[in-house]
Amino acid sequence: DTDTGMKAIRACRIALGLTEKSAGSLGSLQSFIAKEMFTACMSCLTLPSHADFQAEILLVLRDIITKHSLLVSPVLLSLPNIDQGVLDSFHQAMAMKNSEKDQRNLVRKLLLRSGGAELKALAKQHSPGSKIP
């Protein structure tokens, strides 16, 4: 349900905050966030039941990408249709956009580019005529 999902989002944000304050001393937590938590958040986007808080999931993904880009890059490069050139362009666009909303939409576009059946829920939310949060 939405309440449980929002609690999970808060827990993810707390974990992200811990790694920020640790100044790199929590390497295993950083690795967990960049791989397992990042992958889990991407999987959450595929569930129609999570559509109500998709924007928050995308913000967590954005935060993980911006704070742990070196650790997340291999995960992103493993996605279909994402190569080093696409990833470099994505990072340049992220650097040029200052608002969370713009960066969240860049993350959405990157994941949509990767395509695949596993991102059907995200694509459905992004279809013409749908409201983008």
Side-chain angles (χ1 to χ4, degrees):
D1 69 347
T2 302
D3 187 48
T4 304
M6 291 307 293
K7 286 178 183 176
I9 294 291
R10 278 191 292 265
C12 290
R13 290 203 172 277
I14 289 168
L16 276 163
L18 286 173
T19 62
E20 217 173 336
K21 291 179 182 178
S22 73
S25 66
L26 298 174
S28 60
L29 181 59
Q30 290 174 333
S31 179
F32 169 79
I33 288 171
K35 294 176 185 152
E36 284 81 6
M37 188 163 53
F38 187 77
T39 304
C41 285
M42 283 194 311
S43 296
C44 287
L45 292 173
T46 67
L47 302 172
S49 59
H50 291 82
D52 290 344
F53 46 93
Q54 186 181 81
E56 288 81 8
I57 295 168
L58 286 165
L59 281 174
V60 169
L61 288 168
R62 179 201 70 96
D63 289 346
I64 295 170
I65 290 169
T66 57
K67 293 177 175 116
H68 304 288
S69 64
L70 292 177
L71 296 171
V72 172
S73 289
V75 176
L76 290 170
L77 289 170
S78 72
L79 296 173
N81 304 317
I82 305 293
D83 60 22
Q84 192 60 53
V86 170
L87 196 55
D88 290 343
S89 294
F90 167 76
H91 284 299
Q92 286 176 342
M94 288 285 282
M96 294 171 60
K97 303 285 185 180
N98 290 328
S99 81
E100 281 187 352
K101 182 178 179 181
D102 289 342
Q103 290 181 342
R104 180 187 69 209
N105 286 331
L106 287 171
V107 171
R108 179 193 317 264
K109 288 177 185 176
L110 179 71
L111 295 177
L112 283 171
R113 180 186 183 105
S114 75
E118 62 277 358
L119 295 174
K120 280 184 186 175
L122 181 61
K124 186 175 181 181
Q125 277 296 105
H126 192 64
S127 63
S130 67
K131 181 180 177 188
I132 297 176

